[in-house]
Amino acid sequence: MKRSIKKLVALCLALMMALSLLAGCGGGSENGGSSETGVKKELVVGTEENVTTLDPQASNSRPNLSLYWLTHNTLINNNDGEFENNLTESYEQTDDVTWVFHLRKGVKFHNGEELKASDVKFTYTRAVDSSYTSEKVQWISEINTPDDYTVELKLSAPVQDILFFLADKTLSILNEKAVTENPDDGFKIGTGPYVLREWVLNDHTTVDRFADYFGEQPKSEVITFRIIPEASARLISLQTGEIDVCLFPARIDLDTVRGNSDLQLMETGGDTMHYLTFNTTRAPFDDVRVRQGLAYAIDREKVIEVAAEGNGVPAYSFFSPGYGLTEDVEHYNTDMDKAVALLKDAGYSESNKLSFTMSVSGDVKLLQAQAIQQCFNATGLVDMQIESMELTALKALFKDANYDASLYNWANENAGPDMNVRPLLHTGSGSNRSHFGDAAIDELMDKALVEVDDTARLALYSEIQKDVIDQLPIMPLYYDTVYVAATAKLQGFTPNCSEVHRFTYAYVTE
């Protein structure tokens, strides 16, 4: 009897060991497989910025794009201006206006559906109705799908930046079945390495590793973006181990991070342009004299010192550094005499001050506003109030043109020269915070996009920059240095110059 019990115990132990081995090969979390030895299961990122929508076609803000890099894929990727296959096995241009894309076979969406050419056609057709994506697909005149794995795009003109557009995360491929059956929620289904688990506005967003991802499997099973609005609180959370990554650390705390051997401070030159935007649809900012007068009052170096601890480079054009940027524009260097003269010419005086509200979101923008407020006070003609709010509330004001002035940022993220200007300034664009519109400038944008001669194209972009800076719907302030604080155990991560950080292969060792 004792021998039988021993045999039963041994059999149970063997069965348990076998099950544990099986779990090590394919079990673990529901969506993500097993935890890798020596790797922390969950990567927690602390940030001040909310994910505001799960629909890739409904936003191009930094936190949303960072999420889409985890949950969705585009046909191709843009790697510093070099295009790579993503959902495609190959692609080719067969004439000036025709592109053919050959899809990978066996790619699974998060709902188990296989990626088909019909999903690509559905995605690009749907994109026509969004102000964030219509400008990228308006040049596609015809979409043909000769079989399930081939997509042929016919363009209405030889668009020079079409690959830049198709690589943009706002054109991530959606599953037609998911969106058709559930128009209010189906867009969250992607083909990315992570699948959305939970999104709680103003609190957190969590994704789980997708076991059926077609590419290399990430090491982190779970990634959570936790909203911690105050920079000081984010750093404390990093120091205590509650989070693994601290985005947007306060500049005043950088030396604290550098001096802590348990932490690391990563930095890169940024192409994020911080700018002041005027609501050009209503007084007083429908008057170009007011916009120019305020521009001459601003001391960029002071703004950089106050908001970025001196770690920034003045910006004079809305174009990102690189292709198309020209310095041959009005720089609006600080000139109080010009500022006062223009404001007085617009009808303002010490007894009739220019009064308005600057609406901002986040610690950095609040510091920028405070520095700018001091500059405006120096004119003796301006009474500017500062209103701080959550990002979602600020975006609602932008959408309804229900604000006076604000501070925001733009990063082209190497998305081609057209994306320097069209989203920010084309009439009706979703990112046109100033609600500026000029038919002549719109026409120049369209000409530059299809101009095949490089010299002529650069001349058009130069003309656009001069015209926009003269009218000044937005005022470029500076380019920031990007800093990310993290545990010293973080690996597989490099900060992105546009602050659209990519955490797919980031992980923390135990």
Side-chain angles (χ1 to χ4, degrees), residues 86-113:
N86 191 353
L87 292 176
T88 53
E89 289 183 345
S90 64
Y91 61 92
E92 65 265 3
Q93 183 178 14
T94 57
D95 59 48
D96 286 347
V97 294
T98 306
W99 290 83
V100 180
F101 299 87
H102 306 281
L103 303 182
R104 293 177 185 266
K105 296 179 180 178
V107 174
K108 293 292 184 66
F109 283 98
H110 298 153
N111 60 355
E113 294 289 315

PDB file of all heavy atoms in Angstrom, residues 86-113:
ATOM      1  N   ASN A  86       6.903  46.025 -43.767  1.00  0.00           N
ATOM      2  CA  ASN A  86       6.285  45.788 -42.464  1.00  0.00           C
ATOM      3  C   ASN A  86       5.202  44.723 -42.653  1.00  0.00           C
ATOM      4  O   ASN A  86       5.459  43.555 -42.459  1.00  0.00           O
ATOM      5  CB  ASN A  86       5.723  47.089 -41.893  1.00  0.00           C
ATOM      6  CG  ASN A  86       5.315  46.966 -40.444  1.00  0.00           C
ATOM      7  OD1 ASN A  86       5.334  45.883 -39.882  1.00  0.00           O
ATOM      8  ND2 ASN A  86       4.949  48.069 -39.836  1.00  0.00           N
ATOM      9  N   LEU A  87       4.017  45.134 -43.085  1.00  0.00           N
ATOM     10  CA  LEU A  87       2.998  44.149 -43.432  1.00  0.00           C
ATOM     11  C   LEU A  87       3.177  43.636 -44.855  1.00  0.00           C
ATOM     12  O   LEU A  87       2.418  42.777 -45.304  1.00  0.00           O
ATOM     13  CB  LEU A  87       1.598  44.754 -43.269  1.00  0.00           C
ATOM     14  CG  LEU A  87       1.181  45.056 -41.825  1.00  0.00           C
ATOM     15  CD1 LEU A  87      -0.181  45.736 -41.792  1.00  0.00           C
ATOM     16  CD2 LEU A  87       1.159  43.780 -40.983  1.00  0.00           C
ATOM     17  N   THR A  88       4.155  44.159 -45.533  1.00  0.00           N
ATOM     18  CA  THR A  88       4.429  43.727 -46.903  1.00  0.00           C
ATOM     19  C   THR A  88       5.644  42.808 -46.954  1.00  0.00           C
ATOM     20  O   THR A  88       6.554  42.907 -46.129  1.00  0.00           O
ATOM     21  CB  THR A  88       4.701  44.939 -47.809  1.00  0.00           C
ATOM     22  OG1 THR A  88       5.737  45.741 -47.219  1.00  0.00           O
ATOM     23  CG2 THR A  88       3.451  45.769 -47.983  1.00  0.00           C
ATOM     24  N   GLU A  89       5.630  41.929 -47.958  1.00  0.00           N
ATOM     25  CA  GLU A  89       6.822  41.138 -48.275  1.00  0.00           C
ATOM     26  C   GLU A  89       7.706  41.911 -49.238  1.00  0.00           C
ATOM     27  O   GLU A  89       8.928  41.817 -49.200  1.00  0.00           O
ATOM     28  CB  GLU A  89       6.422  39.800 -48.905  1.00  0.00           C
ATOM     29  CG  GLU A  89       5.789  38.822 -47.932  1.00  0.00           C
ATOM     30  CD  GLU A  89       5.474  37.485 -48.584  1.00  0.00           C
ATOM     31  OE1 GLU A  89       5.482  37.427 -49.833  1.00  0.00           O
ATOM     32  OE2 GLU A  89       5.227  36.522 -47.849  1.00  0.00           O
ATOM     33  N   SER A  90       7.058  42.692 -50.117  1.00  0.00           N
ATOM     34  CA  SER A  90       7.780  43.511 -51.092  1.00  0.00           C
ATOM     35  C   SER A  90       6.813  44.527 -51.680  1.00  0.00           C
ATOM     36  O   SER A  90       5.592  44.409 -51.504  1.00  0.00           O
ATOM     37  CB  SER A  90       8.387  42.646 -52.205  1.00  0.00           C
ATOM     38  OG  SER A  90       7.360  42.011 -52.956  1.00  0.00           O
ATOM     39  N   TYR A  91       7.363  45.507 -52.358  1.00  0.00           N
ATOM     40  CA  TYR A  91       6.531  46.487 -53.058  1.00  0.00           C
ATOM     41  C   TYR A  91       7.368  47.100 -54.171  1.00  0.00           C
ATOM     42  O   TYR A  91       8.602  47.087 -54.127  1.00  0.00           O
ATOM     43  CB  TYR A  91       6.001  47.569 -52.109  1.00  0.00           C
ATOM     44  CG  TYR A  91       7.068  48.392 -51.420  1.00  0.00           C
ATOM     45  CD1 TYR A  91       7.527  49.589 -51.970  1.00  0.00           C
ATOM     46  CD2 TYR A  91       7.634  47.962 -50.221  1.00  0.00           C
ATOM     47  CE1 TYR A  91       8.502  50.339 -51.340  1.00  0.00           C
ATOM     48  CE2 TYR A  91       8.620  48.699 -49.586  1.00  0.00           C
ATOM     49  CZ  TYR A  91       9.048  49.882 -50.147  1.00  0.00           C
ATOM     50  OH  TYR A  91      10.028  50.615 -49.526  1.00  0.00           O
ATOM     51  N   GLU A  92       6.682  47.655 -55.168  1.00  0.00           N
ATOM     52  CA  GLU A  92       7.396  48.284 -56.268  1.00  0.00           C
ATOM     53  C   GLU A  92       6.541  49.383 -56.892  1.00  0.00           C
ATOM     54  O   GLU A  92       5.311  49.363 -56.800  1.00  0.00           O
ATOM     55  CB  GLU A  92       7.791  47.266 -57.352  1.00  0.00           C
ATOM     56  CG  GLU A  92       6.632  46.631 -58.069  1.00  0.00           C
ATOM     57  CD  GLU A  92       6.212  45.297 -57.482  1.00  0.00           C
ATOM     58  OE1 GLU A  92       6.811  44.889 -56.461  1.00  0.00           O
ATOM     59  OE2 GLU A  92       5.274  44.679 -58.025  1.00  0.00           O
ATOM     60  N   GLN A  93       7.215  50.334 -57.514  1.00  0.00           N
ATOM     61  CA  GLN A  93       6.551  51.383 -58.274  1.00  0.00           C
ATOM     62  C   GLN A  93       6.627  50.997 -59.743  1.00  0.00           C
ATOM     63  O   GLN A  93       7.722  50.865 -60.302  1.00  0.00           O
ATOM     64  CB  GLN A  93       7.221  52.734 -58.038  1.00  0.00           C
ATOM     65  CG  GLN A  93       6.536  53.895 -58.732  1.00  0.00           C
ATOM     66  CD  GLN A  93       7.202  55.233 -58.437  1.00  0.00           C
ATOM     67  OE1 GLN A  93       8.331  55.278 -57.927  1.00  0.00           O
ATOM     68  NE2 GLN A  93       6.512  56.320 -58.759  1.00  0.00           N
ATOM     69  N   THR A  94       5.475  50.813 -60.360  1.00  0.00           N
ATOM     70  CA  THR A  94       5.464  50.329 -61.740  1.00  0.00           C
ATOM     71  C   THR A  94       5.413  51.463 -62.766  1.00  0.00           C
ATOM     72  O   THR A  94       5.756  51.254 -63.930  1.00  0.00           O
ATOM     73  CB  THR A  94       4.272  49.379 -61.964  1.00  0.00           C
ATOM     74  OG1 THR A  94       3.062  50.058 -61.630  1.00  0.00           O
ATOM     75  CG2 THR A  94       4.423  48.136 -61.088  1.00  0.00           C
ATOM     76  N   ASP A  95       4.959  52.644 -62.353  1.00  0.00           N
ATOM     77  CA  ASP A  95       5.069  53.852 -63.172  1.00  0.00           C
ATOM     78  C   ASP A  95       4.957  55.057 -62.238  1.00  0.00           C
ATOM     79  O   ASP A  95       4.921  54.891 -61.021  1.00  0.00           O
ATOM     80  CB  ASP A  95       4.011  53.890 -64.296  1.00  0.00           C
ATOM     81  CG  ASP A  95       2.582  53.839 -63.787  1.00  0.00           C
ATOM     82  OD1 ASP A  95       2.242  54.593 -62.857  1.00  0.00           O
ATOM     83  OD2 ASP A  95       1.787  53.029 -64.319  1.00  0.00           O
ATOM     84  N   ASP A  96       4.900  56.263 -62.776  1.00  0.00           N
ATOM     85  CA  ASP A  96       4.931  57.471 -61.945  1.00  0.00           C
ATOM     86  C   ASP A  96       3.796  57.548 -60.927  1.00  0.00           C
ATOM     87  O   ASP A  96       3.932  58.192 -59.882  1.00  0.00           O
ATOM     88  CB  ASP A  96       4.874  58.724 -62.824  1.00  0.00           C
ATOM     89  CG  ASP A  96       6.194  58.980 -63.544  1.00  0.00           C
ATOM     90  OD1 ASP A  96       7.193  58.328 -63.166  1.00  0.00           O
ATOM     91  OD2 ASP A  96       6.210  59.813 -64.464  1.00  0.00           O
ATOM     92  N   VAL A  97       2.680  56.889 -61.230  1.00  0.00           N
ATOM     93  CA  VAL A  97       1.506  57.031 -60.361  1.00  0.00           C
ATOM     94  C   VAL A  97       0.960  55.686 -59.869  1.00  0.00           C
ATOM     95  O   VAL A  97      -0.141  55.630 -59.325  1.00  0.00           O
ATOM     96  CB  VAL A  97       0.379  57.806 -61.082  1.00  0.00           C
ATOM     97  CG1 VAL A  97       0.794  59.243 -61.356  1.00  0.00           C
ATOM     98  CG2 VAL A  97      -0.048  57.102 -62.362  1.00  0.00           C
ATOM     99  N   THR A  98       1.731  54.616 -60.006  1.00  0.00           N
ATOM    100  CA  THR A  98       1.231  53.298 -59.606  1.00  0.00           C
ATOM    101  C   THR A  98       2.218  52.606 -58.669  1.00  0.00           C
ATOM    102  O   THR A  98       3.411  52.498 -58.983  1.00  0.00           O
ATOM    103  CB  THR A  98       0.985  52.399 -60.836  1.00  0.00           C
ATOM    104  OG1 THR A  98       0.121  53.080 -61.742  1.00  0.00           O
ATOM    105  CG2 THR A  98       0.337  51.090 -60.410  1.00  0.00           C
ATOM    106  N   TRP A  99       1.696  52.135 -57.550  1.00  0.00           N
ATOM    107  CA  TRP A  99       2.484  51.383 -56.574  1.00  0.00           C
ATOM    108  C   TRP A  99       1.781  50.058 -56.294  1.00  0.00           C
ATOM    109  O   TRP A  99       0.562  50.017 -56.120  1.00  0.00           O
ATOM    110  CB  TRP A  99       2.641  52.157 -55.273  1.00  0.00           C
ATOM    111  CG  TRP A  99       3.528  53.368 -55.395  1.00  0.00           C
ATOM    112  CD1 TRP A  99       3.177  54.605 -55.852  1.00  0.00           C
ATOM    113  CD2 TRP A  99       4.906  53.440 -55.043  1.00  0.00           C
ATOM    114  NE1 TRP A  99       4.265  55.457 -55.816  1.00  0.00           N
ATOM    115  CE2 TRP A  99       5.346  54.768 -55.317  1.00  0.00           C
ATOM    116  CE3 TRP A  99       5.823  52.533 -54.529  1.00  0.00           C
ATOM    117  CZ2 TRP A  99       6.650  55.185 -55.092  1.00  0.00           C
ATOM    118  CZ3 TRP A  99       7.134  52.948 -54.290  1.00  0.00           C
ATOM    119  CH2 TRP A  99       7.531  54.262 -54.581  1.00  0.00           C
ATOM    120  N   VAL A 100       2.561  48.984 -56.230  1.00  0.00           N
ATOM    121  CA  VAL A 100       2.008  47.662 -55.967  1.00  0.00           C
ATOM    122  C   VAL A 100       2.650  47.099 -54.699  1.00  0.00           C
ATOM    123  O   VAL A 100       3.884  47.090 -54.568  1.00  0.00           O
ATOM    124  CB  VAL A 100       2.253  46.700 -57.148  1.00  0.00           C
ATOM    125  CG1 VAL A 100       1.670  45.315 -56.835  1.00  0.00           C
ATOM    126  CG2 VAL A 100       1.624  47.260 -58.422  1.00  0.00           C
ATOM    127  N   PHE A 101       1.811  46.634 -53.778  1.00  0.00           N
ATOM    128  CA  PHE A 101       2.278  46.109 -52.493  1.00  0.00           C
ATOM    129  C   PHE A 101       1.846  44.650 -52.356  1.00  0.00           C
ATOM    130  O   PHE A 101       0.677  44.307 -52.551  1.00  0.00           O
ATOM    131  CB  PHE A 101       1.684  46.933 -51.349  1.00  0.00           C
ATOM    132  CG  PHE A 101       2.085  48.379 -51.384  1.00  0.00           C
ATOM    133  CD1 PHE A 101       1.353  49.302 -52.129  1.00  0.00           C
ATOM    134  CD2 PHE A 101       3.198  48.829 -50.693  1.00  0.00           C
ATOM    135  CE1 PHE A 101       1.715  50.638 -52.182  1.00  0.00           C
ATOM    136  CE2 PHE A 101       3.575  50.160 -50.741  1.00  0.00           C
ATOM    137  CZ  PHE A 101       2.839  51.063 -51.486  1.00  0.00           C
ATOM    138  N   HIS A 102       2.806  43.800 -52.002  1.00  0.00           N
ATOM    139  CA  HIS A 102       2.562  42.372 -51.827  1.00  0.00           C
ATOM    140  C   HIS A 102       2.573  42.065 -50.324  1.00  0.00           C
ATOM    141  O   HIS A 102       3.607  42.218 -49.655  1.00  0.00           O
ATOM    142  CB  HIS A 102       3.628  41.551 -52.546  1.00  0.00           C
ATOM    143  CG  HIS A 102       3.761  41.918 -54.003  1.00  0.00           C
ATOM    144  ND1 HIS A 102       2.872  41.468 -54.959  1.00  0.00           N
ATOM    145  CD2 HIS A 102       4.654  42.720 -54.655  1.00  0.00           C
ATOM    146  CE1 HIS A 102       3.219  41.961 -56.139  1.00  0.00           C
ATOM    147  NE2 HIS A 102       4.291  42.719 -55.991  1.00  0.00           N
ATOM    148  N   LEU A 103       1.435  41.654 -49.791  1.00  0.00           N
ATOM    149  CA  LEU A 103       1.278  41.461 -48.352  1.00  0.00           C
ATOM    150  C   LEU A 103       1.922  40.164 -47.866  1.00  0.00           C
ATOM    151  O   LEU A 103       1.995  39.168 -48.603  1.00  0.00           O
ATOM    152  CB  LEU A 103      -0.210  41.441 -47.984  1.00  0.00           C
ATOM    153  CG  LEU A 103      -1.048  42.657 -48.381  1.00  0.00           C
ATOM    154  CD1 LEU A 103      -2.473  42.483 -47.882  1.00  0.00           C
ATOM    155  CD2 LEU A 103      -0.443  43.946 -47.825  1.00  0.00           C
ATOM    156  N   ARG A 104       2.351  40.206 -46.607  1.00  0.00           N
ATOM    157  CA  ARG A 104       2.779  38.969 -45.950  1.00  0.00           C
ATOM    158  C   ARG A 104       1.566  38.038 -45.824  1.00  0.00           C
ATOM    159  O   ARG A 104       0.443  38.487 -45.570  1.00  0.00           O
ATOM    160  CB  ARG A 104       3.292  39.255 -44.532  1.00  0.00           C
ATOM    161  CG  ARG A 104       4.572  40.068 -44.457  1.00  0.00           C
ATOM    162  CD  ARG A 104       4.899  40.315 -42.994  1.00  0.00           C
ATOM    163  NE  ARG A 104       6.053  41.177 -42.838  1.00  0.00           N
ATOM    164  CZ  ARG A 104       7.299  40.750 -42.671  1.00  0.00           C
ATOM    165  NH1 ARG A 104       7.537  39.448 -42.647  1.00  0.00           N
ATOM    166  NH2 ARG A 104       8.292  41.594 -42.520  1.00  0.00           N
ATOM    167  N   LYS A 105       1.798  36.768 -45.938  1.00  0.00           N
ATOM    168  CA  LYS A 105       0.727  35.792 -45.757  1.00  0.00           C
ATOM    169  C   LYS A 105       0.743  35.269 -44.315  1.00  0.00           C
ATOM    170  O   LYS A 105       1.804  35.102 -43.717  1.00  0.00           O
ATOM    171  CB  LYS A 105       0.880  34.645 -46.752  1.00  0.00           C
ATOM    172  CG  LYS A 105       0.740  35.083 -48.205  1.00  0.00           C
ATOM    173  CD  LYS A 105       0.931  33.927 -49.179  1.00  0.00           C
ATOM    174  CE  LYS A 105       0.788  34.423 -50.622  1.00  0.00           C
ATOM    175  NZ  LYS A 105       1.010  33.324 -51.607  1.00  0.00           N
ATOM    176  N   GLY A 106      -0.452  35.030 -43.779  1.00  0.00           N
ATOM    177  CA  GLY A 106      -0.561  34.457 -42.440  1.00  0.00           C
ATOM    178  C   GLY A 106      -0.515  35.462 -41.306  1.00  0.00           C
ATOM    179  O   GLY A 106      -0.494  35.074 -40.133  1.00  0.00           O
ATOM    180  N   VAL A 107      -0.508  36.770 -41.603  1.00  0.00           N
ATOM    181  CA  VAL A 107      -0.516  37.788 -40.548  1.00  0.00           C
ATOM    182  C   VAL A 107      -1.881  37.803 -39.880  1.00  0.00           C
ATOM    183  O   VAL A 107      -2.918  37.863 -40.557  1.00  0.00           O
ATOM    184  CB  VAL A 107      -0.196  39.184 -41.124  1.00  0.00           C
ATOM    185  CG1 VAL A 107      -0.362  40.259 -40.055  1.00  0.00           C
ATOM    186  CG2 VAL A 107       1.210  39.212 -41.693  1.00  0.00           C
ATOM    187  N   LYS A 108      -1.904  37.729 -38.545  1.00  0.00           N
ATOM    188  CA  LYS A 108      -3.153  37.667 -37.791  1.00  0.00           C
ATOM    189  C   LYS A 108      -3.468  39.004 -37.116  1.00  0.00           C
ATOM    190  O   LYS A 108      -2.596  39.660 -36.554  1.00  0.00           O
ATOM    191  CB  LYS A 108      -3.069  36.581 -36.723  1.00  0.00           C
ATOM    192  CG  LYS A 108      -2.987  35.172 -37.279  1.00  0.00           C
ATOM    193  CD  LYS A 108      -4.279  34.751 -37.947  1.00  0.00           C
ATOM    194  CE  LYS A 108      -4.238  33.305 -38.424  1.00  0.00           C
ATOM    195  NZ  LYS A 108      -4.156  32.343 -37.318  1.00  0.00           N
ATOM    196  N   PHE A 109      -4.737  39.377 -37.190  1.00  0.00           N
ATOM    197  CA  PHE A 109      -5.246  40.454 -36.363  1.00  0.00           C
ATOM    198  C   PHE A 109      -5.497  39.916 -34.952  1.00  0.00           C
ATOM    199  O   PHE A 109      -5.544  38.701 -34.738  1.00  0.00           O
ATOM    200  CB  PHE A 109      -6.551  41.009 -36.944  1.00  0.00           C
ATOM    201  CG  PHE A 109      -6.368  41.912 -38.134  1.00  0.00           C
ATOM    202  CD1 PHE A 109      -6.522  41.413 -39.425  1.00  0.00           C
ATOM    203  CD2 PHE A 109      -6.049  43.255 -37.965  1.00  0.00           C
ATOM    204  CE1 PHE A 109      -6.369  42.236 -40.528  1.00  0.00           C
ATOM    205  CE2 PHE A 109      -5.886  44.091 -39.063  1.00  0.00           C
ATOM    206  CZ  PHE A 109      -6.046  43.577 -40.349  1.00  0.00           C
ATOM    207  N   HIS A 110      -5.711  40.817 -34.011  1.00  0.00           N
ATOM    208  CA  HIS A 110      -5.931  40.415 -32.619  1.00  0.00           C
ATOM    209  C   HIS A 110      -7.214  39.611 -32.436  1.00  0.00           C
ATOM    210  O   HIS A 110      -7.376  38.926 -31.427  1.00  0.00           O
ATOM    211  CB  HIS A 110      -5.955  41.645 -31.716  1.00  0.00           C
ATOM    212  CG  HIS A 110      -4.667  42.410 -31.727  1.00  0.00           C
ATOM    213  ND1 HIS A 110      -4.587  43.755 -31.469  1.00  0.00           N
ATOM    214  CD2 HIS A 110      -3.392  42.007 -31.977  1.00  0.00           C
ATOM    215  CE1 HIS A 110      -3.326  44.153 -31.557  1.00  0.00           C
ATOM    216  NE2 HIS A 110      -2.586  43.118 -31.874  1.00  0.00           N
ATOM    217  N   ASN A 111      -8.142  39.697 -33.389  1.00  0.00           N
ATOM    218  CA  ASN A 111      -9.375  38.906 -33.306  1.00  0.00           C
ATOM    219  C   ASN A 111      -9.267  37.573 -34.043  1.00  0.00           C
ATOM    220  O   ASN A 111     -10.252  36.852 -34.193  1.00  0.00           O
ATOM    221  CB  ASN A 111     -10.560  39.706 -33.858  1.00  0.00           C
ATOM    222  CG  ASN A 111     -10.377  40.102 -35.325  1.00  0.00           C
ATOM    223  OD1 ASN A 111      -9.329  39.851 -35.909  1.00  0.00           O
ATOM    224  ND2 ASN A 111     -11.391  40.727 -35.895  1.00  0.00           N
ATOM    225  N   GLY A 112      -8.072  37.249 -34.535  1.00  0.00           N
ATOM    226  CA  GLY A 112      -7.848  35.973 -35.195  1.00  0.00           C
ATOM    227  C   GLY A 112      -8.018  35.993 -36.691  1.00  0.00           C
ATOM    228  O   GLY A 112      -7.671  35.013 -37.371  1.00  0.00           O
ATOM    229  N   GLU A 113      -8.535  37.096 -37.247  1.00  0.00           N
ATOM    230  CA  GLU A 113      -8.712  37.208 -38.687  1.00  0.00           C
ATOM    231  C   GLU A 113      -7.363  37.372 -39.381  1.00  0.00           C
ATOM    232  O   GLU A 113      -6.450  38.012 -38.845  1.00  0.00           O
ATOM    233  CB  GLU A 113      -9.603  38.408 -39.026  1.00  0.00           C
ATOM    234  CG  GLU A 113     -11.038  38.294 -38.546  1.00  0.00           C
ATOM    235  CD  GLU A 113     -11.824  37.274 -39.341  1.00  0.00           C
ATOM    236  OE1 GLU A 113     -11.717  37.287 -40.588  1.00  0.00           O
ATOM    237  OE2 GLU A 113     -12.541  36.463 -38.719  1.00  0.00           O
TER     238      GLU A 113
END
